[in-house]
Amino acid sequence: MNTQCQIETRPEQHIVTVRTRTPVSELPVVIGPLYGRIMAYVGEMGAAPTGAPFVAYYNMDMADLDIEVGFPVDRALPSRGDLAAGVLAAGAYATCMHIGPYDQVGPAYSALTEFVQQQGRTPTGVAYEFYFNSPQETPPEQLQTLVMFPLI
Protein backbone atom coordinates (compact mmCIF):
# COMPACT_ATOMS: atom_id res chain seq x y z
CA MET A 1 0.00 0.00 0.00
CA ASN A 2 1.26 3.46 -0.89
CA THR A 3 0.89 5.65 2.18
CA GLN A 4 2.30 9.06 1.37
CA CYS A 5 1.47 11.26 4.32
CA GLN A 6 1.91 15.00 4.48
CA ILE A 7 0.90 18.07 6.43
CA GLU A 8 -1.15 20.62 4.51
CA THR A 9 -2.35 24.09 5.42
CA ARG A 10 -5.97 24.37 4.35
CA PRO A 11 -8.17 27.45 4.09
CA GLU A 12 -11.51 27.72 5.86
CA GLN A 13 -14.21 25.83 3.94
CA HIS A 14 -17.99 26.26 4.25
CA ILE A 15 -19.76 22.94 4.80
CA VAL A 16 -23.26 21.50 5.23
CA THR A 17 -23.52 18.40 7.39
CA VAL A 18 -25.78 16.05 9.30
CA ARG A 19 -24.50 14.51 12.52
CA THR A 20 -25.75 11.07 13.52
CA ARG A 21 -24.78 7.82 15.21
CA THR A 22 -24.60 4.40 13.58
CA PRO A 23 -22.82 1.05 13.83
CA VAL A 24 -20.10 0.62 11.20
CA SER A 25 -22.15 -2.15 9.55
CA GLU A 26 -24.88 0.40 8.71
CA LEU A 27 -22.61 3.08 7.21
CA PRO A 28 -23.48 2.23 3.59
CA VAL A 29 -27.21 2.45 4.40
CA VAL A 30 -26.90 5.69 6.39
CA ILE A 31 -24.45 7.74 4.33
CA GLY A 32 -26.07 7.61 0.88
CA PRO A 33 -29.47 9.02 1.89
CA LEU A 34 -27.80 11.74 3.98
CA TYR A 35 -25.68 12.82 1.02
CA GLY A 36 -28.89 12.95 -1.04
CA ARG A 37 -30.66 15.15 1.53
CA ILE A 38 -27.68 17.48 1.82
CA MET A 39 -27.33 17.84 -1.95
CA ALA A 40 -31.07 18.51 -2.35
CA TYR A 41 -30.82 21.28 0.26
CA VAL A 42 -27.66 22.76 -1.29
CA GLY A 43 -29.37 22.82 -4.71
CA GLU A 44 -32.55 24.33 -3.27
CA MET A 45 -30.45 27.13 -1.77
CA GLY A 46 -28.80 27.82 -5.15
CA ALA A 47 -25.40 26.78 -3.85
CA ALA A 48 -22.99 24.16 -5.16
CA PRO A 49 -20.58 21.60 -3.71
CA THR A 50 -16.93 22.59 -4.03
CA GLY A 51 -15.26 19.29 -3.27
CA ALA A 52 -15.59 15.66 -2.39
CA PRO A 53 -18.18 14.46 0.13
CA PHE A 54 -16.84 13.50 3.53
CA VAL A 55 -17.54 11.83 6.82
CA ALA A 56 -16.06 13.15 10.07
CA TYR A 57 -15.55 10.49 12.73
CA TYR A 58 -15.73 11.75 16.31
CA ASN A 59 -15.06 8.34 17.83
CA MET A 60 -13.93 4.92 16.66
CA ASP A 61 -16.52 2.81 18.50
CA MET A 62 -17.51 0.51 15.63
CA ALA A 63 -20.77 -0.41 17.40
CA ASP A 64 -21.80 3.24 17.87
CA LEU A 65 -19.95 5.64 15.56
CA ASP A 66 -20.52 9.35 16.12
CA ILE A 67 -20.27 10.77 12.60
CA GLU A 68 -20.91 13.95 10.66
CA VAL A 69 -21.74 13.46 6.96
CA GLY A 70 -21.27 16.42 4.65
CA PHE A 71 -20.14 18.37 1.64
CA PRO A 72 -17.97 21.44 1.25
CA VAL A 73 -20.03 24.21 -0.38
CA ASP A 74 -19.36 27.46 -2.21
CA ARG A 75 -20.79 29.81 0.42
CA ALA A 76 -22.25 30.05 3.90
CA LEU A 77 -25.78 28.67 4.11
CA PRO A 78 -28.33 28.77 6.91
CA SER A 79 -28.90 25.65 8.98
CA ARG A 80 -32.27 23.91 8.70
CA GLY A 81 -33.39 21.22 11.12
CA ASP A 82 -30.63 18.62 11.35
CA LEU A 83 -28.87 20.12 8.30
CA ALA A 84 -26.08 22.09 9.94
CA ALA A 85 -24.16 24.80 8.15
CA GLY A 86 -20.66 25.42 9.39
CA VAL A 87 -17.03 25.60 8.46
CA LEU A 88 -14.13 23.24 8.26
CA ALA A 89 -11.58 25.40 10.08
CA ALA A 90 -8.50 26.80 8.41
CA GLY A 91 -5.27 25.31 9.64
CA ALA A 92 -2.88 22.40 9.54
CA TYR A 93 -4.13 18.94 8.57
CA ALA A 94 -2.23 15.68 8.27
CA THR A 95 -3.39 13.74 5.20
CA CYS A 96 -2.92 10.31 3.67
CA MET A 97 -4.52 9.00 0.46
CA HIS A 98 -5.89 5.45 0.62
CA ILE A 99 -6.57 3.67 -2.66
CA GLY A 100 -8.65 0.55 -2.30
CA PRO A 101 -11.77 -0.80 -0.59
CA TYR A 102 -13.23 1.22 2.25
CA ASP A 103 -12.93 -1.71 4.64
CA GLN A 104 -9.15 -1.74 4.09
CA VAL A 105 -8.51 1.89 5.11
CA GLY A 106 -7.03 0.88 8.49
CA PRO A 107 -3.38 0.94 7.35
CA ALA A 108 -3.80 4.55 6.16
CA TYR A 109 -4.96 5.50 9.67
CA SER A 110 -1.97 3.69 11.18
CA ALA A 111 0.48 5.34 8.78
CA LEU A 112 -1.03 8.78 9.39
CA THR A 113 -0.99 8.32 13.17
CA GLU A 114 2.69 7.32 13.05
CA PHE A 115 3.52 10.21 10.69
CA VAL A 116 1.85 12.75 12.98
CA GLN A 117 3.79 11.41 15.98
CA GLN A 118 7.06 11.55 14.02
CA GLN A 119 6.34 15.18 13.15
CA GLY A 120 5.79 15.99 16.82
CA ARG A 121 2.23 17.15 16.11
CA THR A 122 -1.02 16.51 17.97
CA PRO A 123 -4.30 15.58 16.23
CA THR A 124 -7.57 17.04 17.53
CA GLY A 125 -9.14 13.58 17.80
CA VAL A 126 -11.49 13.97 14.83
CA ALA A 127 -10.75 12.00 11.65
CA TYR A 128 -12.13 12.94 8.23
CA GLU A 129 -12.52 10.73 5.19
CA PHE A 130 -13.09 12.48 1.85
CA TYR A 131 -14.40 10.21 -0.91
CA PHE A 132 -13.15 11.13 -4.38
CA ASN A 133 -15.10 8.58 -6.40
CA SER A 134 -18.33 6.64 -6.12
CA PRO A 135 -18.50 2.99 -5.02
CA GLN A 136 -21.42 2.58 -7.46
CA GLU A 137 -19.18 3.56 -10.41
CA THR A 138 -15.67 2.56 -9.29
CA PRO A 139 -14.20 -0.89 -8.64
CA PRO A 140 -13.34 -1.29 -4.93
CA GLU A 141 -9.59 -1.54 -5.61
CA GLN A 142 -9.69 1.92 -7.28
CA LEU A 143 -11.66 3.84 -4.63
CA GLN A 144 -9.82 6.94 -3.44
CA THR A 145 -10.25 8.03 0.19
CA LEU A 146 -8.32 10.92 1.68
CA VAL A 147 -7.87 10.38 5.41
CA MET A 148 -7.31 13.68 7.20
CA PHE A 149 -6.57 14.61 10.82
CA PRO A 150 -6.91 18.26 11.90
CA LEU A 151 -3.89 19.23 14.00
CA ILE A 152 -3.73 21.35 17.14
Side-chain angles (χ1 to χ4, degrees):
M1 178 181 105
N2 182 1
T3 55
Q4 293 183 340
C5 300
Q6 62 184 4
I7 294 177
E8 302 175 9
T9 300
R10 294 177 156 252
E12 179 178 273
Q13 176 65 61
H14 296 288
I15 58 175
V16 176
T17 64
V18 174
R19 193 156 176 178
T20 191
R21 297 186 88 91
T22 184
V24 71
S25 61
E26 295 297 313
L27 278 175
V29 176
V30 170
I31 292 174
L34 290 177
Y35 283 151
R37 284 187 50 225
I38 294 166
M39 286 305 299
Y41 173 69
V42 168
E44 176 186 328
M45 298 303 292
T50 58
F54 65 89
V55 174
Y57 294 87
Y58 290 91
N59 70 4
M60 289 297 164
D61 178 350
M62 297 301 140
D64 185 28
L65 289 169
D66 179 5
I67 62 171
E68 191 171 22
V69 177
F71 275 93
V73 293
D74 60 356
R75 59 188 166 88
L77 296 173
S79 296
R80 181 190 297 161
D82 65 347
L83 295 163
V87 295
L88 189 57
Y93 290 82
T95 66
C96 182
M97 180 63 77
H98 166 72
I99 299 176
Y102 296 141
D103 64 357
Q104 294 177 18
V105 74
Y109 275 84
S110 297
L112 194 55
T113 298
E114 183 177 331
F115 173 76
V116 167
Q117 290 172 348
Q118 289 172 351
Q119 299 300 310
R121 301 299 298 265
T122 304
T124 64
V126 178
Y128 289 85
E129 291 182 6
F130 284 81
Y131 307 105
F132 288 96
N133 43 21
S134 167
Q136 286 79 32
E137 302 166 3
T138 306
E141 65 276 2
Q142 295 176 12
L143 291 170
Q144 298 176 359
T145 306
L146 182 68
V147 179
M148 189 168 83
F149 298 167
L151 302 173
I152 295 173

